[in-house]
Amino acid sequence: MEVSTFVGSVTQMSKTVSQFKGWTVYPPLSALPSHQPAVVPLQPDPFSRISEIFFYMQIFFLALLVILAIVTGKNWNTDKNGS
């Protein structure tokens, strides 16, 4: 029963999608008004330095996590007898 419902749903969706085939005609870009954005002088971003520090801290901690995972994996004792 569930398979036939799925097949019926797929068939219905394919019929619905096939109705919308064709081209979409957009107006030419030359029809747009010629607008030049105003040039705004760049202000120094006060958070750029902080975000850069956080970025490198994330890289450091991810590298530390990888190194600790490798060291822990090498020290894992698979021998149940303890020898």
Side-chain angles (χ1 to χ4, degrees), residues 37-69:
V39 177
V40 178
L42 293 175
Q43 301 280 332
D45 185 15
F47 299 108
S48 66
R49 185 69 179 154
I50 294 172
S51 65
E52 186 177 325
I53 290 170
F54 281 138
F55 174 73
Y56 288 114
M57 282 177 56
Q58 286 178 349
I59 291 175
F60 171 75
F61 284 122
L62 282 174
L64 182 66
L65 179 69
V66 169
I67 291 169
L68 290 175

Side-chain angles (χ1 to χ4, degrees), residues 18-33:
S18 66
Q19 294 175 354
F20 300 111
K21 289 183 180 176
W23 290 86
T24 302
V25 179
Y26 295 104
L29 294 177
S30 61
L32 296 175

Side-chain angles (χ1 to χ4, degrees), residues 1 5 9 16 18 21 31 48-49 58 69-70 76:
M1 186 67 176
T5 305
S9 298
T16 304
S18 66
K21 289 183 180 176
S48 66
R49 185 69 179 154
Q58 286 178 349
I70 291 171
W76 186 263

